[in-house]
Amino acid sequence: MENASSSNAIETFELGMTYKSGKVEVPALQNVTFAVKHGEFIAVMGPSGCGKSTLLHLLGGLMQPTHGKILIDGTDISKLSDSERTAIRRSKIGYIFQRFNLLPTLTAKGNIELAKKIHGNGHLNENGVGRILRMLGLTDKIHFRPAELSGGEQQRIAIARAIINQPAIILADEPTGSLDSRNSQTVLQMLRDLNDKLGQTIVMITHDSDAASTASRVIEMKDGQILNPAIHFALSRSLKEAANSI
Ligand SMILES: Nc1ncnc2c1ncn2[C@@H]1O[C@H](COP(=O)(O)OP(=O)(O)OP(=O)(O)O)[C@@H](O)[C@H]1O
Ligand SMILES: [Mg+2]
């Protein structure tokens, strides 16, 4: 369902996720309602296991929630099929995974080129691609395969791959988690520039309060819920209006 006038890039409404492993149910996320305006830069913080990656996976349409709704640009993706969610992700979202998810048989360059081909909107020419690789300090590593790269180098390739198509929304799961302080600063500056200059909406998970201070708002999570939800929901439409429109 399309809502072209949505001022929010992302909205969730009573979002929940319960994993099932065999007979055991793991409630990882409960009752998460918040909104992210177009062009906002949000940091998500909270202890290990509190549901941050689960939340980001749901926002990126990587899996279906067990409860509630997610609107991306006004479109409810919570009930869409895998392929419909994938289509939305490819057209709007750049995803930086906590565990990089690079294809092991492709070189660094191959991984980035594949992303460019899949998304296929090729805003960036070869110069633009080269500029991103230079900024991330990757130019001498482009012919290496993931197994031949350090964790920090793989992380930077994963970042290049996610931003190469200039997606409207960037979802980043601990993008500086494996980086030294100099490379962390470069990556954070790059995200800040994408947000400032291109108006890209960013949701970034981090354990690092310095990294979080880059963001315009911090959402804190604990035990599968967000703290102070009223503050984060006050920025979105009223609960009733949101419920009626979906
Ligand atoms: N595929 C899965 N199947 C079953 N349980 C899962 C699955 N993925 C995550 N969980 C559980 O859900 C909870 C939240 O996990 P999640 O990965 O979202 O945490 P996190 O906040 O990202 O943690 P970290 O900071 O360590 O990355 C944890 O209890 C975890 O064990
Ligand atoms: Mg995580």
Side-chain angles (χ1 to χ4, degrees):
M1 266 164 274
E2 199 73 33
N3 175 7
S5 64
S6 178
S7 64
N8 292 318
I10 300 169
E11 275 181 49
T12 69
F13 182 70
E14 295 181 357
L15 189 61
M17 183 72 199
T18 298
Y19 293 105
K20 281 203 178 71
S21 355
K23 285 190 179 151
V24 183
E25 296 204 338
V26 184
L29 210 64
Q30 292 123 48
N31 211 9
V32 169
T33 298
F34 73 105
V36 180
K37 285 188 192 308
H38 289 290
E40 261 198 298
F41 188 159
I42 306 281
V44 178
M45 299 190 80
S48 181
C50 73
K52 304 179 297 298
S53 294
T54 299
L55 174 62
L56 215 64
H57 280 118
L58 292 171
L59 299 183
L62 292 162
M63 57 191 187
Q64 230 178 17
T66 47
H67 304 92
K69 306 203 182 290
I70 308 158
L71 278 72
I72 299 295
D73 245 350
T75 301
D76 181 6
I77 65 164
S78 57
K79 303 283 186 299
L80 298 182
S81 67
D82 284 356
S83 61
E84 288 167 323
R85 279 184 278 114
T86 300
I88 290 190
R89 185 170 61 254
R90 286 183 178 168
S91 70
K92 297 190 192 244
I93 295 172
Y95 202 104
I96 302 168
F97 291 88
Q98 186 167 13
R99 288 174 193 84
F100 319 140
N101 286 5
L102 297 174
L103 289 172
T105 53
L106 295 181
T107 63
K109 189 163 183 266
N111 268 281
I112 293 166
E113 280 174 351
L114 180 66
K116 208 160 173 276
K117 209 185 278 173
I118 286 175
H119 294 262
N121 53 3
H123 289 307
L124 284 181
N125 56 22
E126 279 304 313
N127 283 343
V129 175
R131 186 168 46 79
I132 287 176
L133 291 175
R134 264 195 311 283
M135 280 174 74
L136 289 168
L138 293 169
T139 34
D140 56 339
K141 303 284 178 174
I142 57 171
H143 299 300
F144 287 48
R145 289 194 167 73
E148 300 161 333
L149 298 167
S150 74
E153 286 163 347
Q154 291 181 53
Q155 187 159 37
R156 282 175 284 152
I157 300 290
I159 291 167
R161 183 180 64 174
I163 65 176
I164 207 80
N165 293 295
Q166 303 184 332
I169 300 171
I170 296 172
L171 302 178
D173 199 340
E174 302 211 35
T176 59
S178 304
L179 302 180
D180 61 20
S181 72
R182 191 176 60 87
N183 279 313
S184 291
Q185 285 311 318
T186 306
V187 164
L188 289 171
Q189 185 59 49
M190 186 175 236
L191 291 175
R192 218 170 0 233
D193 283 351
L194 294 174
N195 177 248
D196 279 353
K197 298 189 181 131
L198 299 178
Q200 283 166 293
T201 305
I202 300 178
V203 180
M204 173 182 76
I205 294 173
T206 182
H207 277 111
D208 173 4
S209 48
D210 283 345
S213 65
T214 295
S216 44
R217 181 156 58 104
V218 179
I219 291 180
E220 285 195 66
M221 291 183 64
K222 196 180 169 200
D223 299 334
Q225 298 190 293
I226 58 175
L227 303 181
N228 303 316
I231 295 173
H232 299 296
F233 193 71
L235 290 151
S236 77
R237 297 175 292 160
S238 76
L239 206 64
K240 195 157 174 280
E241 196 188 338
N244 285 340
S245 72
I246 51 185

